[in-house]
Amino acid sequence: MQRWTLDLNRPDWRNALEASAVCSAITNGELVAVPTETVYGLTADATNGEACAKIFAAKGRPQFNPLISHVASLADAQRHGEFDSPALDLAKAFWPGPLTLVVPKKKTSTISDLATAGLSTVALRVPEGPVMRFLSEKTGCPLAAPSANRSGKISPTRADDVIADLEPCLSFIIDAGPCSIGIESTIVGLTDGTPRLLRPGGTTREDLQGVLGSSLQGAPTNVQPDAPEAPGMLLSHYAPNAKMSLNACEAVPSDALLSFGPDRVPGADQAYAEFNLSPRGDFAEAAANLFRGMRTLDASGTNTIRVQFIPSFGLGEAINDRLQRAAAPR
Ligand code: AMP
Ligand code: MG
């Protein structure tokens, strides 16, 4: 594996990347770890079934769980999916950005059936992170990219997280520093005439509803771990080795504490270890720190991570979703 450190503040980063062997690795069906604004993605040519199979194998991901394809523009996305008027409104308002749209897959789409888990729908995103867009544009490929971690484990927001989990599977990792948003994209389903929030994430429900002019419904089916209708909604996910205990009212010396905001729970100073997601109580800062905080406390050797209450509006909805899945029975 080759590590490529990229300074996105330098105006010539595109030339450097284009001159590298990263693009040809992708078109040859190899796996590359790519930073986005949400998390690092384990990336492959979405039109190449064998390359997508490598993603599932590397992650240990069940094949019923489809992959998001990343493209450079709305026009590129429309080659693969049918956009009705709410889908177009959302794409225009939030792309590039942390929003994935699940839409009917076009018969002419070249995205492999493995990437879409054989469904008649396709998940598409134009990321804000410029590296993924650049690679899609240069290779001419939609890029399948789930988070670059073993399935069910904590998502990676820094290159070292990826290397710890997946180094042997990668041809390249592009290291552009920590991800700015730090939690995965919001997923909205637009396949049955009703926009549905399939997963909260980096674009808030409130912002989406502002554009749609109506409230977002939830997923259409009851959540079953192996039901393809809601393929990504696995109850246990983002899990550290330590047990997670939510909405802690107090800290104890035997347990680590994942805290939030300026208010201290009783006993906080005696906790086994502490990581404050945002001492000033800012959701965006807390989201960006969430997975690093979970990894840090997990590495402290504690058996249990207690989590202070975090309100569930704005980005707090996605933060609580990740925490609840991390705390779910495994
Ligand atoms: P991940 O790559 O782990 O962030 O997860 C991507 C998620 O996107 C999956 O787990 C699904 O929940 C969702 N997804 C992708 N494709 C589809 C699809 N065609 N229909 C419904 N959900 C999808
Ligand atoms: Mg993931």
Side-chain angles (χ1 to χ4, degrees):
M1 183 208 71
Q2 205 175 322
R3 183 176 186 149
W4 248 83
T5 304
L6 210 56
D7 180 355
L8 297 179
N9 293 316
R10 286 185 54 159
D12 62 345
W13 68 264
R14 289 179 177 78
N15 299 339
L17 194 54
E18 195 171 4
S20 75
V22 172
C23 289
S24 54
I26 291 172
T27 50
N28 286 336
E30 296 167 29
L31 301 186
V32 175
V34 178
T36 74
E37 77 279 26
T38 58
V39 300
Y40 275 74
L42 179 62
T43 304
D45 173 2
T47 69
N48 179 335
E50 276 178 46
C52 292
K54 289 183 192 169
I55 293 181
F56 286 97
K59 283 183 63 84
R61 180 176 173 113
Q63 292 209 356
F64 61 75
N65 193 355
L67 307 174
I68 296 170
S69 291
H70 297 73
V71 292
S73 64
L74 172 58
D76 283 353
Q78 287 178 298
R79 287 176 218 252
H80 301 286
E82 304 281 0
F83 285 66
D84 62 9
S85 126
L88 276 178
D89 290 345
L90 293 178
K92 287 177 183 160
F94 297 106
W95 282 354
L99 176 66
T100 296
L101 300 178
V102 175
V103 296
K105 188 180 180 185
K106 280 192 172 163
K107 294 235 163 19
T108 49
S109 167
T110 50
I111 292 176
S112 79
D113 284 339
L114 205 59
T116 51
L119 300 172
S120 59
T121 54
V122 62
L124 294 161
R125 178 161 100 90
V126 178
E128 171 88 56
V131 180
M132 187 74 88
R133 273 187 286 138
F134 178 78
L135 290 174
S136 178
E137 201 177 302
K138 284 294 155 197
T139 58
C141 304
L143 297 175
S147 53
N149 55 282
R150 296 276 305 164
S151 187
K153 298 296 183 186
I154 303 175
S155 299
T157 52
R158 295 166 308 164
D160 285 333
D161 300 338
V162 179
I163 291 169
D165 250 20
L166 293 176
E167 177 169 10
C169 312
L170 294 170
S171 295
F172 289 94
I173 177 161
I174 300 168
D175 179 359
C179 301
S180 59
I181 291 184
I183 44 175
E184 295 82 351
S185 60
T186 299
I187 304 180
V188 174
L190 297 135
T191 55
D192 65 357
T194 305
R196 295 179 186 276
L197 184 64
L198 302 182
R199 174 178 78 183
T203 303
T204 65
R205 172 194 291 274
E206 292 85 345
D207 285 349
L208 293 162
Q209 291 177 164
V211 167
L212 291 168
S214 61
S215 68
L216 267 172
Q217 305 295 305
T221 51
N222 44 349
V223 177
Q224 289 171 9
D226 57 355
E229 287 81 6
M233 307 302 278
L234 303 177
L235 209 51
S236 169
H237 205 155
Y238 315 104
N241 294 316
K243 224 177 78 192
M244 302 274 292
S245 167
L246 305 188
N247 302 327
C249 303
E250 59 172 4
V252 294
S254 57
D255 297 349
L257 176 67
L258 190 62
S259 47
F260 172 75
D263 297 337
R264 314 286 294 148
V265 294
D269 294 339
Q270 276 77 52
Y272 185 87
E274 183 181 359
F275 188 106
N276 195 322
L277 293 171
S278 172
R280 62 195 158 98
D282 178 73
F283 282 145
E285 183 181 32
N289 285 330
L290 178 66
F291 291 132
R292 182 163 65 90
M294 283 165 59
R295 281 178 187 265
T296 302
L297 293 183
D298 209 22
S300 75
T302 184
N303 290 324
T304 304
I305 300 171
R306 293 189 177 212
V307 186
Q308 193 174 343
F309 171 79
I310 301 175
S312 211
F313 57 86
L315 281 176
E317 184 177 7
I319 293 171
N320 277 294
D321 170 80
R322 303 307 183 269
L323 288 169
Q324 277 154 16
R325 288 177 206 281
R330 314 204 177 137

